[in-house]
Amino acid sequence: MAYIELKNVNKYFDNNGEEFQVLKNIDFDINKGEFICFVGASGCGKSTLLRSIAGLEVKYEGTITVDGKEIKKPEKQRGMVFQEPRLFPWMNVSQNIGYVLDTKDKEEKKRKVSEFINMVGLRGFETALPKELSGGMAQRAGIARALANEPEVLLMDEPFGALDALTKIQLQQTVRRIHNESHQTTIMVTHDIEEAVYLADKIVIFTNRPGSIRKIINVNLPEDRDRNSLEFVNVRKKVFDAITISA
Amino acid sequence: MKHLTKKTGYFVEYVALVIMILAVWMMLEKQGTLNPVILPAPDKVFETFVSLLAKQTLIQHMSVSLARVLKGYILASVAGIILGIVIGLFEHARRFTDLLIQIIKPIPPIAWIPLVILWFGIGETGKVFLIFLGGFFTILINVYDGIRQADVKLLEVSKVAETPFFTHVFKVIIPGAAPNIFTGLRVGLSSCWMCVVAAELVSSNTGLGFMIMNARQFGQTDTVIVGMITIGVIGKVMDSIIRAVEKKVIYW
C-alpha cells in the first residue's frame, strides 16, 4: 500500500447553479519521502487537489488516504505553505512560528522556534513584524511555520509564485536542502517547469479543465541538481513537451 | 525646518474652518444685525463661559454628565464587546438574536424615555440605562461585523495547525477584529453623549442637558451655546483619547 493514495477523485464546483468539473478521474499513489510537483495551467484544479489532500476541501467523489486513513479535515501532520505567506500581522516572526506549536513547555517551544528560524535562514529577524519583511523573508517564515510541527507531509501551494527570480532560486535551494535532510513527503503545486525539475522526484502533469493527469514523469536526478547539466535540461525538455504538445 | 512648516500647514488647515465660522459670526455681530436672543455675540458667549466656570456651575454640570456617560458607556462597551464576540463566533447565536437586534436597533433612545421613567423612575439608573442603550447596539454591531469579516486565509492557518478553539479566538479572531472594535467604541461614545443630553432634557436638575434646557426657558442663549460647545469639546477629547489608545494597541 502506498503512503498517499488518490483513488478516482472527481470534483465539481457549483457556479450559480451550473455545475462544472474541476478534477476528473485523479488516480495515483505517492510513496513516503517522495517530492512530488503538480504542474499545469492556471485553473486546472491542481491547487484544489492539494487543498483536498490538506483537508481544506472535503466535497469530492473518490477517496484520498494518507497512511491508510481517509482525509476528513485538516490535521497538523500535514503542514501547508500557501501562495501568500499568511503571517498574522500582529505577531512577530517567532510568534507566528510558535503559534502552530502546541507544546506547553516554554523552553521546548523556544528551542523549536529558533531551530526552524535557523533552518529557513531567518536568524536575526525573530522579533520583526510581517510588515517589516520582504516577500521572500515572509515566505521563509511561512515555510518555517509549516515545518515547525514536523509534519509527515508538507504541502506547498505555489509558494514562490509571487517572488522575484533571484529570491525564488534561493528559496528553492532552501527547500531542496531541507528535503535532502528530512526526506519529508512533499507535494508542491507550481507552474514553473524548472522549479519542478529542480525539486521533484516525480512530476505530475495536469490537463486543462477539468484537470486530469496527463502524464507522470520520473525525474531520476541526483539530490544535488545542476540546472545547467545535460541531464537536467533533458528532463526539462521532456516535461515541457508533455505540457505543450497536446495542450 | 521644512518638516516644521509642513506640520504648521497641516495645523492651519485643521483649524481653519472653525476660525472662519467664528470670524463670520463676529462680523455679523459688528454689523449689528444679530438679535442676542437668537444668536449672542461670540465675546458674550465667552464671557458667560468664564463666569459659569468661576461660579463652578459649569464644572458641576459637566462632571455630573461625564460620570453618567462613563457609567453607561463602560457598561455598553463591556456588554457590546462580549456579546459581539459570541454572536460573531457562533452562527446559531447570530440567527437566534438577529431579529431582535434588528428591530430594537432603529428605535431612538429618546423613544425609550417614557418606558425608562416608568421602569426606573427619574433617578440615575434610568439615565445610565438610556446611555447604555445608545452605545450598546453600535458597539455590538461593529464588534460582530469585525469578527465575522475575519480573513478566511488567516483562519485556514489555524485550521491546518489544528489550533485549540480558545487560542484561535484570542490570538487570531480578536486581534483581527480589533480595528472594527475600536470603530464601535468611538461611534458608540458619540451615541452615549447624544443620549445623556436627551435624558437630562426630560428629567433632571443637574447635567449639561439640564443646563441647556434650563437656560432656554430663561432666554439665556449664551448659556445654551456654552453647554453645546462644552459637550462637543469633551466628546472630541474623549475620541482623541480612544484614538491614541487604538494606535498603541493596533501596532501592526
Side-chain angles (χ1 to χ4, degrees):
Chain A
M1 192 180 64
Y3 185 54
I4 301 177
E5 293 184 336
L6 295 98
K7 285 218 171 74
N8 208 15
V9 175
N10 284 279
K11 180 165 175 69
Y12 304 86
F13 271 145
D14 188 54
N15 183 23
N16 292 328
E18 211 181 317
E19 210 172 53
F20 68 91
Q21 193 165 13
V22 258
L23 291 170
K24 192 177 169 188
N25 303 331
I26 305 288
D27 204 301
F28 70 101
D29 294 342
I30 295 168
N31 296 319
K32 204 170 173 106
E34 271 182 331
F35 198 126
I36 307 289
C37 277
F38 292 174
V39 179
S42 316
C44 73
K46 56 194 193 300
S47 284
T48 307
L49 184 61
L50 190 80
R51 289 173 58 82
S52 304
I53 299 172
L56 290 168
E57 304 269 352
V58 286
K59 285 182 192 152
Y60 52 82
E61 293 170 3
T63 55
I64 303 175
T65 56
V66 176
D67 218 1
K69 283 193 299 269
E70 198 174 339
I71 291 167
K72 300 261 189 243
K73 62 178 182 55
E75 278 161 292
K76 54 175 173 275
Q77 294 92 304
R78 295 188 301 280
M80 179 107 176
V81 180
F82 298 92
Q83 257 164 352
E84 327 77 16
R86 300 198 184 183
L87 301 176
F88 300 112
W90 45 88
M91 296 183 196
N92 65 31
V93 169
S94 289
Q95 290 164 334
N96 261 291
I97 297 169
Y99 174 74
V100 301
L101 295 171
D102 47 14
T103 167
K104 290 274 176 289
D105 184 349
K106 279 205 172 135
E107 280 305 307
E108 162 83 358
K109 196 164 184 166
K110 230 169 115 182
R111 193 188 58 72
K112 272 200 154 178
V113 167
S114 102
E115 178 190 338
F116 287 98
I117 281 180
N118 289 338
M119 190 182 280
V120 297
L122 274 181
R123 186 185 265 166
F125 293 95
E126 288 83 352
T127 56
L129 286 173
K131 67 175 179 188
E132 298 162 334
L133 300 176
S134 68
M137 290 200 290
Q139 197 52 293
R140 282 177 189 273
I143 294 171
R145 180 171 61 186
L147 291 171
N149 268 322
E150 295 170 83
E152 286 151 24
V153 183
L154 180 62
L155 306 168
M156 299 201 263
D157 188 4
E158 290 185 45
F160 313 138
L163 303 177
D164 65 88
L166 204 65
T167 310
K168 194 171 181 174
I169 290 174
Q170 287 168 348
L171 275 157
Q172 287 165 356
Q173 287 167 344
T174 305
V175 168
R176 178 82 253 179
R177 174 175 51 78
I178 293 170
H179 183 74
N180 289 352
E181 285 162 14
S182 69
H183 288 284
Q184 213 159 17
T185 311
T186 305
I187 308 172
M188 180 191 228
V189 167
T190 178
H191 43 229
D192 179 335
I193 297 174
E194 182 171 307
E195 178 169 280
V197 178
Y198 182 71
L199 292 169
D201 299 315
K202 272 186 200 162
I203 299 174
V204 180
I205 296 163
F206 284 73
T207 63
N208 287 341
R209 202 160 56 211
S212 59
I213 295 170
R214 171 174 291 158
K215 199 170 183 183
I216 297 179
I217 292 176
N218 287 310
V219 176
N220 287 329
L221 289 173
E223 282 189 348
D224 285 314
R225 292 178 191 179
D226 176 358
R227 293 168 201 255
N228 297 308
S229 69
L230 187 61
E231 296 82 3
F232 191 97
V233 174
N234 282 338
V235 179
R236 195 173 62 193
K237 183 171 163 35
K238 217 158 108 185
V239 177
F240 186 85
D241 288 346
I243 291 175
T244 50
I245 282 171
S246 43
Chain B
M1 189 60 205
K2 205 175 169 190
H3 180 65
L4 204 73
T5 42
K6 206 173 174 183
K7 266 197 153 173
T8 321
Y10 286 159
F11 182 73
V12 170
E13 216 171 47
Y14 190 64
V15 296
L17 185 61
V18 170
I19 289 178
M20 273 155 62
I21 289 171
L22 279 175
V24 170
W25 186 6
M26 275 161 142
M27 266 162 54
L28 288 173
E29 136 80 7
K30 283 260 153 43
Q31 284 178 337
T33 45
L34 282 187
N35 176 344
V37 177
I38 294 174
L39 186 61
D43 48 327
K44 178 78 178 82
V45 172
F46 186 71
E47 234 170 68
T48 310
F49 171 70
V50 172
S51 83
L52 284 172
L53 263 188
K55 285 187 286 181
Q56 302 219 329
T57 28
L58 187 59
I59 299 286
Q60 269 169 19
H61 290 310
M62 201 177 86
S63 47
V64 168
S65 292
L66 188 61
R68 285 172 184 154
V69 167
L70 283 178
K71 278 183 208 157
Y73 178 60
I74 289 170
L75 285 175
S77 302
V78 172
I81 289 175
I82 293 175
L83 287 174
I85 289 171
V86 173
I87 294 174
L89 283 175
F90 303 105
E91 194 57 24
H92 288 296
R94 192 188 67 81
R95 269 197 298 270
F96 185 62
T97 54
D98 194 56
L99 183 62
L100 181 68
I101 291 172
Q102 299 303 336
I103 290 174
I104 295 183
K105 190 182 63 161
I107 303 173
I110 303 170
W112 282 85
I113 289 177
L115 277 186
V116 167
I117 292 175
L118 288 172
W119 293 349
F120 301 103
I122 54 168
E124 285 303 297
T125 318
K127 293 186 184 64
V128 173
F129 179 72
L130 277 174
I131 296 162
F132 166 81
L133 274 183
F136 174 68
F137 288 102
T138 315
I139 297 172
L140 177 79
I141 287 162
N142 273 286
V143 173
Y144 87 58
D145 274 350
I147 302 277
R148 286 165 56 79
Q149 284 161 15
D151 183 351
V152 179
K153 291 185 169 178
L154 293 183
L155 301 188
E156 281 186 353
V157 173
S158 279
K159 271 195 200 164
V160 170
E162 293 185 277
T163 307
F165 180 71
F166 282 103
T167 313
H168 171 66
V169 169
F170 284 101
K171 291 199 166 168
V172 173
I173 299 278
I174 293 177
N180 289 62
I181 296 176
F182 273 101
T183 305
L185 289 178
R186 289 180 45 213
V187 183
L189 181 65
S190 310
S191 316
C192 286
W193 273 105
M194 288 178 202
C195 292
V196 74
V197 174
E200 291 171 352
L201 292 180
V202 176
S203 58
S204 190
N205 46 24
T206 48
L208 289 170
F210 161 76
M211 189 184 97
I212 290 170
M213 222 43 192
N214 192 50
R216 186 193 73 101
Q217 283 169 351
F218 295 100
Q220 298 162 334
T221 317
D222 44 351
T223 305
V224 172
I225 295 176
V226 169
M228 288 167 69
I229 294 176
T230 306
I231 291 168
V233 171
I234 301 172
K236 161 69 187 152
V237 169
M238 287 175 79
D239 187 71
S240 302
I241 294 171
I242 300 178
R243 267 181 200 251
V245 173
E246 179 178 4
K247 262 198 170 162
K248 277 261 179 273
V249 173
I250 304 178
Y251 52 84
W252 56 89

